[in-house]
Amino acid sequence: MNRESSRQSMPKRLHFCLFLGHSSQERFFWHHHTAYAGKVTDVRAVAPRDRALEDLYDRIRLAPEGLSRSELASSTLMSPSGVTFLVRRLLREGRVVEVDPLAKGKGSGSGRPALRLLPTPLSGWVAGIDFGHKHISVALADGSGAEIASATTLLNVDLNAQEAMNAACELLDRLCEKYEIGDLVTIVAGIPGPVDAQRGVVRSPTILSGWVGLDPAAELQRRLGHSVLVENDAVLGAIGEHRRGVASGHDDVLYVKISDGIGAALILGGRIYKGSAGLAGEIGHNRLENNTELCRCGSRGCLEAVVSVDSVVAQLAHSHEGVTIDRIDSLPFADEITDRIFSDAGRTVGQALSSLCNLLNPSLLVVGGTLGTANPALLTGIRLGIDQYAQPAAAQGMTVAAAEHGSRAELVGALYLAARATF
């Protein structure tokens, strides 16, 4: 048998490889920008000789507790003298500060701990805006991203883009007036739909039909007289939980927001991954087999048509006749039927997420949103669904947890992003 015939007789094997990393446009940078102390620069314009400097600053900025010079040398494989040279430049430019770490605990060893490098905090006030499908929330924070005040109003956001943005700006203006805040350093807004990473416009007519073709950042800037950074709401929720919540310390995280709609965000290798056009994580309109529920997008059997606040409320109302359900996260009853409804919904979500778990192998799945944190039985169902449909090794290596900040994770992420300017 010759080599060619033996090659043809061998069983064919399918190999799949997913490349996730830096592109020539630095896709992990939020809207291709990096910022410090209120100054924003375009990383695409960074000269090759300065890329090492920007990489060093990026590592410092992304570390929740900062980094020491020795840790920078170890992670970059640069010489200590090279790191020192770049750190001195960052200090001279005012982009980072070097501080004493917290005191060591008992038994942690002797000797003075190394100084930590942190991004220079913003001076002034920042704001976050969270557009849900049926609500708008705004919040104010200091330069570190610590919230000082917030307000919420109910509104159908999907069909009334202009009205929704007017309401958000009015709500923010009233909050600033109440706390006598005259100017804001940064404003970050999250919307419940995909934003084109290149053009900044809303693209999907199936998710936000009243927003298609709009540039939310430009619209909000025109109303507020201040530049606004716009991001997908699930991405902000992931940032909030990764930086100030249950996902802290995990480098590979899948965040799922389950509310009036369903969206997901990915943190891979410690950084947000948004795909080539910023559309990664749009799982709400994945169609489920053998489901015929009509979805607002016009299709049938979409994940969010099967599992959403409205669908679960309908089941609860059917099983608890005569009981008024005002809020899914504050039900006037608790019984086995309720837990079964939430658990079944969770199993459906778990089955839908199982392929993502196999593909990306995250160490943590964070479930947020109004419905996602309404009943522990939902998380139990998600766990069972993943265990049943995902590869055993991938399922066993992943923890499922409720978002620490619940339905406010998106606001927390918006304020963190506003204080740090990028992620």
Side-chain angles (χ1 to χ4, degrees):
M1 181 182 294
N2 60 36
R3 180 178 301 178
E4 184 63 30
S5 61
S6 65
R7 182 180 299 155
Q8 292 176 353
S9 66
M10 293 176 65
K12 296 181 180 179
R13 303 179 67 180
L14 177 65
H15 297 271
F16 182 83
C17 184
L18 180 65
F19 289 92
L20 303 173
H22 291 287
S23 71
S24 61
Q25 294 183 325
E26 295 292 327
R27 68 177 57 171
F28 283 105
F29 279 89
W30 192 84
H31 276 300
H32 304 299
H33 288 95
T34 184
Y36 58 95
K39 180 180 179 181
V40 180
T41 56
D42 191 330
V43 296
R44 290 172 294 182
V46 174
R49 64 179 179 276
D50 290 330
R51 286 177 184 168
L53 181 75
E54 297 305 324
D55 177 66
L56 209 68
Y57 174 69
D58 191 43
R59 292 173 185 273
I60 295 169
R61 179 176 57 79
L62 294 175
E65 305 300 328
L67 293 170
S68 68
R69 298 190 186 199
S70 61
E71 288 170 337
L72 283 171
S74 176
S75 63
T76 61
L77 301 180
M78 293 177 61
S79 67
S81 60
V83 168
T84 297
F85 174 80
L86 295 177
V87 165
R88 285 176 178 172
R89 181 174 167 185
L90 290 172
L91 289 169
R92 187 168 60 251
E93 293 176 357
R95 301 174 67 178
V96 300
V97 293
E98 201 163 26
V99 299
D100 282 316
L102 297 175
K104 287 187 175 182
K106 183 177 179 180
S108 60
S110 59
R112 180 183 178 184
L115 297 176
R116 313 294 291 181
L117 290 156
L118 296 168
T120 302
L122 295 175
S123 59
W125 307 101
V126 301
I129 304 174
D130 173 34
F131 290 96
H133 287 288
K134 296 182 180 179
H135 78 272
I136 301 169
S137 296
V138 301
L140 296 172
D142 61 21
S144 69
E147 183 180 321
I148 59 172
S150 64
T152 299
T153 187
L154 300 180
L155 185 69
N156 187 330
V157 169
D158 292 9
L159 301 177
N160 304 297
Q162 301 297 338
E163 183 182 351
M165 286 187 280
N166 288 338
C169 294
E170 291 171 4
L171 199 61
L172 182 58
D173 285 341
R174 288 200 299 269
L175 205 60
C176 288
E177 183 178 353
K178 179 179 179 180
Y179 288 89
E180 299 181 345
I181 294 176
D183 192 24
L184 296 167
V185 177
T186 312
I187 304 172
V188 172
I191 66 170
V195 181
D196 189 302
Q198 305 298 327
R199 300 168 53 206
V201 299
V202 179
R203 288 184 52 181
S204 177
T206 62
I207 300 176
L208 289 174
S209 58
W211 294 65
V212 176
L214 285 178
D215 183 338
E219 293 284 340
L220 291 170
Q221 180 177 343
R222 180 171 59 83
R223 290 167 171 82
L224 293 170
H226 192 292
S227 60
V228 180
L229 308 180
V230 173
E231 186 55 271
N232 173 265
D233 61 346
V235 168
L236 294 181
I239 292 173
E241 290 298 325
H242 187 252
R243 291 310 179 195
R244 292 185 168 166
V246 69
S248 177
H250 289 264
D251 287 334
D252 300 290
V253 180
L254 174 58
Y255 175 85
V256 179
K257 179 184 178 182
I258 310 175
S259 191
D260 296 297
I262 298 181
L266 308 171
I267 294 177
L268 303 176
R271 299 186 177 192
I272 283 288
Y273 176 77
K274 292 187 282 188
S276 61
L279 307 180
E282 294 298 334
I283 63 171
H285 296 275
N286 288 357
R287 299 182 65 180
L288 305 178
E289 292 185 9
N290 303 319
N291 286 91
T292 60
E293 292 85 344
L294 181 63
C295 182
R296 58 183 167 174
C297 73
S299 296
R300 290 185 177 273
C302 293
L303 177 59
E304 72 171 44
V306 179
V307 181
S308 67
V309 170
D310 288 344
S311 64
V312 172
V313 165
Q315 295 177 62
L316 292 171
H318 180 72
S319 60
H320 298 79
E321 292 185 11
V323 179
T324 301
I325 302 174
D326 295 321
R327 294 181 54 182
I328 191 70
D329 55 351
S330 183
L331 295 174
F333 48 79
D335 50 45
E336 291 184 3
I337 296 176
T338 300
D339 288 346
R340 176 62 181 271
I341 290 172
F342 276 95
S343 178
D344 287 348
R347 280 177 178 266
T348 300
V349 174
Q351 179 181 356
L353 296 177
S354 61
S355 58
L356 279 177
C357 296
N358 291 339
L359 178 64
L360 302 173
N361 189 211
S363 63
L364 179 67
L365 166 62
V366 180
V367 183
T370 306
L371 179 59
T373 55
N375 189 314
L378 185 90
L379 262 70
T380 301
I382 291 175
R383 176 81 265 179
L384 292 172
I386 289 173
D387 287 345
Q388 180 177 354
Y389 291 99
Q391 289 293 321
Q396 293 168 9
M398 185 184 70
T399 301
V400 179
E404 182 176 321
H405 298 289
S407 59
R408 291 179 56 80
E410 286 68 35
L411 265 185
V412 173
L415 294 176
Y416 178 91
L417 196 63
R420 292 293 184 98
T422 63
F423 180 81

